Amino acid sequence: MKQNMPITKEKIIAASWELLRGKGIENFTMRKLAEQLDIKAASLYWHFKSKQHIFQVLAEEVAKHILLAERDDGDWKEQLFQFGVNMRKQLQAYPCSAQLLMQTMPSAPEYVALFEHMLVVVDKLSLKDKDKFSSIACFMDYILAFELDAYERNKVRLEITQDIENKEQKSYLNLSIYKRDSSFKILHRMHFNGMFKNMGSDDMFETGLKIIILGIEQLT
Amino acid sequence: MKQNMPITKEKIIAASWELLRGKGIENFTMRKLAEQLDIKAASLYWHFKSKQHIFQVLAEEVAKHILLAERDDGDWKEQLFQFGVNMRKQLQAYPCSAQLLMQTMPSAPEYVALFEHMLVVVDKLSLKDKDKFSSIACFMDYILAFELDAYERNKVRLEITQDIENKEQKSYLNLSIYKRDSSFKILHRMHFNGMFKNMGSDDMFETGLKIIILGIEQLT
DNA sequence: ACCTGAACACCGTTCAAGT
DNA sequence: ACCTGAACACCGTTCAAGT
């Protein structure tokens, strides 16, 4: 990480991804970012006018990579499905990218390009423009929320394992209570904790994708 | 706001909602919350062990109210639709509640009750348990993401109008560029800004809800 | 039981001053 | 052109001390 060469925007962005991966977006600070680059926090402000602006650049980078990895195979249903799978793959490759996109979305030109790209896929359907737009918005909302959710759940999971290490045993999720509580009949039947542990899996993600694609088809 | 009676948990929670409504979750601070209650920030820690814990209580309150407002009319499709509409209404009634739920979701007992309630609606369908669960997760993800999105978009909108007041004219969304850019053919045809202005509307929300419900039906 | 002052270890951002 | 020290106005949280 230590270099004598002058800092560039590119190096700051690269270090930002590292910091996000290591500390998460809630612990991303200008001071830590500067430390990682062997400079002082104040120096960052020569390259970027604010932390928010760094986030915007990161978000646009993600949006760009989502579009780059696109190939258009099969019918519209297959295309939409592949787009969803690929978008999630990119979101997983860039730490906290769902948060970044959610925060900065409508201002980024790349975001609009994403929208346009998906509208093309759905344009051949015999739907009102308004419904095409709603379909794509729903599709993207689902994907983003799925990853936001996964991130939060992972955070809780890490806190718990940390507490166990510290012999604190706080048990944020005391599932044992629900296991015995007869008021949650269906969840109980579904093997409560197994179901919740399966949240965030590839399988669950793809089922959601299928639901939305089938739903769009049905809207015609 | 000024009272001589001793502060209670209930008063702190009430003041928290006010603060969220007035300042948003990103400007919710213990110091501001204390000020609103005419006490000092340190005093809050006698009632709640942390800011995070206050958020957890707020989130559970929202989840509780979503369940309370429930009536079960019609077939499963109608029920699910009404649930979605009602859930969004509650999310809109409590400021930043989508963020609160997203942050604290899996640890809250009320959240599990929400899940169970929706699973009951969908339980009569001839689906694998796994797919019932995925359906509900998809449904809830969509609703939360829709409101998160609306919140962020509103934030940007407020910043812009503020800038216009300040004669800064930064134009975070310079839509005029896209309007002329021929690479966004479909969005252009759809009246670019009109479409984006329509984002977050009741109509768009309900279309998304319908898509997911039709999709779940198709999964059987 | 309930509240406070003072402190600790942080933040993002600015800006005059250095090279 | 690029970086820094020092400061400003904040954070969340703790804790001995007050009533």
Side-chain angles (χ1 to χ4, degrees), chain B residues 13-201:
Chain B
I13 294 300
S16 296
W17 287 124
E18 253 187 79
L19 188 56
L20 281 175
R21 177 162 294 127
K23 305 276 183 181
I25 197 164
E26 55 279 329
N27 295 310
F28 183 104
T29 72
M30 296 300 265
R31 283 167 162 88
K32 282 177 198 147
L33 179 56
E35 203 180 346
Q36 201 153 136
L37 290 157
D38 270 323
I39 55 174
K40 301 295 165 188
S43 313
L44 290 168
Y45 289 84
W46 195 89
H47 301 276
F48 289 97
K49 71 173 195 289
S50 66
K51 179 176 167 175
Q52 199 40 232
H53 187 224
I54 295 180
F55 280 178
Q56 241 157 265
V57 173
L58 293 172
E60 290 194 36
E61 204 169 291
V62 177
K64 204 181 299 174
H65 276 87
I66 292 172
L67 271 179
L68 277 176
E70 240 8 80
R71 320 159 274 106
D72 301 328
D73 300 338
D75 63 345
W76 72 270
K77 287 168 78 175
E78 182 59 27
Q79 275 181 50
L80 215 52
F81 185 79
Q82 284 308 324
F83 186 94
V85 169
N86 166 56
M87 176 160 167
R88 173 157 178 261
K89 209 169 76 184
Q90 299 301 322
L91 290 178
Q92 287 178 321
Y94 294 87
C96 307
S97 48
Q99 285 90 340
L100 292 168
L101 277 184
M102 194 55 114
Q103 264 178 46
T104 60
M105 244 154 65
S107 53
E110 301 292 346
Y111 170 70
V112 180
L114 256 184
F115 235 94
E116 169 77 15
H117 182 91
M118 302 184 70
L119 281 171
V120 171
V121 177
V122 119
D123 198 38
K124 54 192 65 138
L125 301 185
S126 63
L127 282 172
K128 280 184 283 186
D129 279 355
K130 195 171 58 65
D131 287 339
K132 288 175 190 167
F133 195 84
S134 298
S135 299
I136 296 308
C138 172
F139 189 76
M140 289 191 60
D141 274 349
Y142 166 68
I143 297 172
L144 282 179
F146 191 91
E147 282 307 307
L148 289 177
D149 220 35
Y151 181 82
E152 294 296 334
R153 234 183 350 267
N154 193 44
K155 230 168 55 183
V156 175
R157 210 170 47 74
L158 290 178
E159 281 166 14
I160 293 170
T161 54
Q162 221 176 355
D163 287 352
I164 290 169
E165 274 174 20
N166 301 352
K167 265 71 178 170
E168 284 198 22
Q169 280 285 28
K170 272 185 187 172
S171 158
Y172 285 79
L173 295 164
N174 46 356
L175 292 179
S176 50
I177 289 178
Y178 306 119
K179 242 166 138 181
R180 271 175 256 122
D181 189 331
S182 59
S183 62
F184 298 125
K185 281 177 195 152
I186 298 180
L187 275 169
H188 184 251
R189 191 196 67 209
M190 287 184 179
H191 310 104
F192 202 101
N193 9 22
M195 238 0 146
F196 272 89
K197 248 180 245 160
N198 201 39
M199 269 182 109
S201 68

Side-chain angles (χ1 to χ4, degrees), chain A residues 178-195:
Chain A
Y178 306 120
K179 243 164 133 181
R180 270 174 257 121
D181 189 331
S182 59
S183 62
F184 298 125
K185 282 177 194 153
I186 297 178
L187 275 169
H188 184 252
R189 191 195 68 209
M190 287 185 179
H191 310 104
F192 201 102
N193 10 21
M195 233 10 142

Side-chain angles (χ1 to χ4, degrees), chain A residues 111-155:
Chain A
Y111 171 70
V112 181
L114 255 184
F115 236 92
E116 169 77 16
H117 181 92
M118 302 185 69
L119 281 172
V120 172
V121 176
V122 119
D123 197 37
K124 56 192 65 140
L125 300 184
S126 64
L127 283 173
K128 279 183 283 186
D129 279 356
K130 194 171 60 63
D131 288 339
K132 288 175 189 167
F133 195 84
S134 297
S135 299
I136 295 308
C138 172
F139 189 77
M140 289 192 61
D141 274 348
Y142 167 68
I143 297 172
L144 281 179
F146 191 90
E147 283 306 307
L148 289 177
D149 220 34
Y151 181 82
E152 295 295 335
R153 234 182 351 267
N154 192 46
K155 229 168 57 182

Side-chain angles (χ1 to χ4, degrees), chain A residues 3 14 28 45 54-55 65-66 76 90 98 117 144 162 164 167 180 193 209 219:
Chain A
Q3 291 286 1
F28 183 105
Y45 289 83
I54 295 181
F55 280 178
H65 275 87
I66 292 172
W76 72 270
Q90 299 300 322
H117 181 92
L144 281 179
Q162 222 177 355
I164 290 171
K167 264 73 178 171
R180 270 174 257 121
N193 10 21
L209 235 44
L219 213 60

